[in-house]
């Protein structure tokens, strides 16, 4: 009965490859997010979707493309992976509107060789 | 823009010591404030929150009070345990068109020794 689940948990791949990370939430939330956590633990929002519509895109390179097939899913596809993409990526969800707490997945650790 | 500043870590304490982690913020609107905790190898968990001035959030012995006059939301616990060892994040969100985007502080690593 995991609330926010991400797959895979670990992703090791070569520079230049394309990869996807999947996220699903079973909380009935309308809003989903992707965050990036760097090696110093700093967290920064990348994208936010509300009811399958892109709301926030925080100057993320075009190589990153989120896709939301329905309210419960928000996937992240990354093209032409670069060394600097190595990080932990977290998916989160919340009810619509400000002031709502967000529920996070366990993260996907992406390592670029 | 909005920002959150936490005290520099890491913080190392002995079990049963008193904990304070300072957090101050700047915000363009009227924020809701949160503390999240990240245990090793896990995602972030909401620890506590406060949505308006003078509100006190509390959970698992941790407390933080929303101080609008000092733009602060310091985290405190009277007696820490080894199991409290984790990374703690202060964060804010503002309603309206931001759709709940969380702005995080840099995180404070807490290590508690027996």
């Amino acid at each position: 009965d995991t609330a926010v689940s991400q797959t895979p948990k670990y992703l090791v791949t070569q520079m230049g490859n394309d990869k996807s990370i999947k996220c699903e939430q079973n909380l009935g939330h309308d809003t989903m997010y992707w965050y990036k956590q760097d090696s110093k633990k700093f967290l920064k929002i990348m994208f936010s979707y509300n009811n399958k519509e892109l709301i926030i895109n925080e100057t993320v390179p075009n190589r990153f493309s989120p896709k939301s097939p329905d309210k419960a899913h928000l996937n992240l596809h990354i093209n032409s992976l670069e060394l600097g993409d190595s990080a932990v990526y977290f998916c989160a969800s919340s009810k619509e509107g400000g002031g709502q707490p967000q529920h996070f997945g366990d993260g996907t650790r992406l390592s670029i060789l | 823009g909005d920002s959150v500043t936490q005290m520099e870590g890491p913080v190392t304490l002995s079990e049963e010591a008193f904990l304070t982690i300072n957090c101050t913020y700047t915000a363009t609107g009227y924020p809701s404030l949160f503390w999240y905790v990240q245990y090793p190898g896990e995602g972030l968990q909401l620890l506590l929150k406060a949505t308006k001035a003078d509100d006190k959030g509390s959970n698992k012995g941790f407390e933080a009070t929303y101080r609008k006059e000092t733009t602060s939301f310091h985290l405190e616990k009277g007696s820490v345990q080894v199991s409290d060892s984790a990374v703690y994040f202060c964060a804010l969100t503002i309603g309206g068109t931001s759709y709940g985007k969380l702005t995080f502080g840099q995180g404070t690593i807490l290590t508690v020794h027996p």
Side-chain angles (χ1 to χ4, degrees):
Chain A
D1 57 344
T2 304
V4 181
S5 59
Q6 295 178 228
T7 54
K9 190 171 176 66
Y10 299 97
L11 192 49
V12 181
T13 190
Q14 304 274 359
M15 216 165 42
N17 283 351
D18 304 337
K19 290 293 177 186
S20 292
I21 306 172
K22 294 186 176 181
C23 178
E24 176 182 5
Q25 54 95 4
N26 62 5
L27 296 166
H29 289 162
D30 294 312
T31 310
M32 296 185 72
Y33 312 82
W34 278 108
Y35 290 88
K36 179 180 181 180
Q37 186 175 45
D38 64 23
S39 59
K40 296 184 179 178
K41 301 288 187 185
F42 187 70
L43 278 151
K44 187 170 167 54
I45 191 163
M46 301 173 68
F47 301 103
S48 169
Y49 268 73
N50 186 64
N51 283 314
K52 302 192 297 174
E53 184 181 344
L54 179 65
I55 300 298
I56 296 173
N57 181 341
E58 287 282 308
T59 60
V60 177
N62 290 338
R63 299 182 295 104
F64 290 80
S65 53
K67 284 189 172 54
S68 181
D70 56 57
K71 270 188 1 176
H73 296 83
L74 180 61
N75 304 323
L76 183 64
H77 188 76
I78 315 170
N79 291 326
S80 303
L81 280 158
E82 301 177 357
L83 288 174
D85 297 333
S86 294
V88 182
Y89 293 84
F90 286 100
C91 177
S93 72
S94 72
K95 293 180 182 178
E96 187 173 349
Q100 299 292 341
Q102 294 182 19
H103 298 255
F104 284 78
D106 285 341
T108 296
R109 182 174 293 277
L110 174 62
S111 299
I112 310 301
L113 304 178
Chain B
D2 304 329
S3 66
V4 176
T5 302
Q6 292 180 230
M7 66 185 284
E8 290 284 335
V11 174
T12 303
L13 296 172
S14 297
E15 207 164 25
E16 298 184 5
F18 183 84
L19 169 71
T20 300
I21 301 178
N22 289 339
C23 171
T24 57
Y25 67 88
T26 58
T28 52
Y30 194 27
S32 294
L33 302 173
F34 304 86
W35 278 99
Y36 281 85
V37 59
Q38 185 179 24
Y39 298 102
E42 298 184 12
L44 279 74
Q45 300 175 25
L46 177 67
L47 183 58
L48 53 84
K49 71 170 188 176
T51 57
K52 61 182 187 296
D54 299 324
D55 268 1
K56 178 186 281 189
S58 61
N59 186 24
K60 299 181 182 179
F62 291 89
E63 293 183 340
T65 301
Y66 189 145
R67 300 284 188 204
K68 188 178 178 186
E69 63 276 13
T70 54
T71 61
S72 65
F73 193 54
H74 304 320
L75 183 68
E76 296 182 337
K77 187 175 186 182
S79 176
V80 292
Q81 306 299 313
V82 172
S83 57
D84 293 327
S85 297
V87 184
Y88 291 82
F89 293 92
C90 185
L92 67 80
T93 184
I94 296 176
T97 57
S98 71
Y99 275 89
K101 161 190 150 182
L102 277 170
T103 298
F104 286 93
Q106 68 269 40
T108 302
I109 299 172
L110 171 66
T111 303
V112 180
H113 292 299

